Amino acid sequence: MTYFGMSFGMWTMFAGSFQKQLTVVFGYDVDTAKTITKKAKPKYREIISELPEFEKGDRFKMNIVNCAMIGAFVLSMPERPDVEWLTEYYAKSMMTKPMKWFCQMSGKSKFTEKDIAGMKATAALRAADRNPYSWNMEFYEYPDGSGYEGRFTKCGICVLMKKLGLYDLTPALCRLDYTMSEAGGVTDFVRQYTLASGGPYCDCGYKKKGFMKAGTEAGR
């Protein structure tokens, strides 16, 4: 995968936040945070260069680019963080003001015909059959009309984290799904399994906030 385009844009957008949170979450001093960031940039470019190009229509390219960034930072830290600390670090680094705005805009189109058509197209693409760093997903609409679920049987983040020797830290990245759903403001994110925790699949369920089944009354 080329560094230019999305990969370059994501570094430009988030590197400053990743550097700032090194001091906020981990307590590194400013100079150490700058040194880590300086080391992380070439590592990030190296990771990106070893990834295949994603197919047109594959909506998960951004996910793997984000994984490459957090991986580069972890590999550049003086000490390896544990999952709990990395979960906080990753969430705070990613949830910048522009990212929160993006989540809110995405929330406005959630459950629309276009959104559901996009989910179905993603499920049909089965990109991970050709690119191990992408995802395979099955799409399920909840029969009660409360929302839908994407059920992932292959996960590019799991593959890349294994390659980087960071697989045990993968749950820290999975947790961002909850944070982004909350920022969107229209869904309650529900999950039973993750591949990273040994589950049979990764379920990403989005339920409409305040959903009330037709024919029911508040308080019943």
Side-chain angles (χ1 to χ4, degrees):
M1 182 189 298
T2 177
Y3 172 70
F4 300 101
M6 179 187 289
S7 304
F8 173 79
M10 295 299 285
W11 179 269
T12 302
M13 184 178 298
F14 289 103
S17 179
F18 274 69
Q19 178 175 310
K20 176 183 177 181
Q21 295 304 325
L22 288 169
T23 63
V24 175
V25 177
F26 294 121
Y28 289 115
D29 60 52
V30 173
D31 288 341
T32 301
K34 288 180 179 178
T35 299
I36 293 170
T37 305
K38 187 176 181 180
K39 290 175 62 178
K41 186 173 184 178
K43 174 59 68 175
Y44 171 69
R45 295 187 66 160
E46 177 188 345
I47 295 170
I48 291 293
S49 71
E50 295 176 353
L51 297 174
E53 289 295 341
F54 275 51
E55 297 175 50
K56 184 178 181 181
D58 189 336
R59 66 194 292 166
F60 296 114
K61 182 176 180 178
M62 184 181 294
N63 298 56
I64 206 68
V65 168
N66 291 343
C67 180
M69 184 174 295
I70 186 64
F73 270 87
V74 171
L75 292 171
S76 302
M77 294 179 189
E79 296 182 10
R80 198 176 195 273
D82 62 20
V83 171
E84 182 178 354
W85 283 105
L86 189 64
T87 300
E88 180 181 355
Y89 172 70
Y90 187 56
K92 287 185 175 180
S93 297
M94 288 298 300
M95 297 309 292
T96 60
K97 286 184 179 180
M99 188 63 165
K100 290 178 181 177
W101 176 86
F102 171 80
C103 291
Q104 290 168 359
M105 293 301 101
S106 296
K108 291 181 178 180
S109 64
K110 206 72 172 174
F111 309 119
T112 62
E113 289 185 9
K114 182 178 180 181
D115 175 49
I116 292 173
M119 293 293 289
K120 290 180 177 178
T122 297
L125 185 62
R126 294 188 60 83
D129 286 349
R130 299 166 297 280
N131 176 2
Y133 295 96
S134 189
W135 281 254
N136 277 357
M137 182 194 81
E138 297 172 358
F139 177 68
Y140 300 93
E141 292 186 77
Y142 296 134
D144 62 359
S146 62
Y148 60 67
E149 174 183 308
R151 187 174 294 179
F152 296 86
T153 53
K154 291 186 178 180
C155 168
I157 284 176
C158 288
V159 175
L160 181 55
M161 291 294 276
K162 283 181 180 177
K163 179 183 178 183
L164 299 177
L166 303 174
Y167 187 63
D168 59 304
L169 299 178
T170 306
L173 282 67
C174 302
R175 189 63 180 76
L176 192 69
D177 291 327
Y178 291 88
T179 306
M180 293 182 67
S181 173
E182 183 179 351
V186 300
T187 61
D188 291 318
F189 186 80
V190 293
R191 167 175 284 157
Q192 186 174 5
Y193 302 111
T194 64
L195 292 168
S197 298
Y201 49 77
C202 236
D203 50 328
C204 294
Y206 297 90
K207 292 199 169 187
K208 301 171 184 175
K209 279 188 178 293
F211 174 80
M212 185 178 297
K213 194 172 182 179
T216 61
E217 298 177 3
R220 175 178 283 181

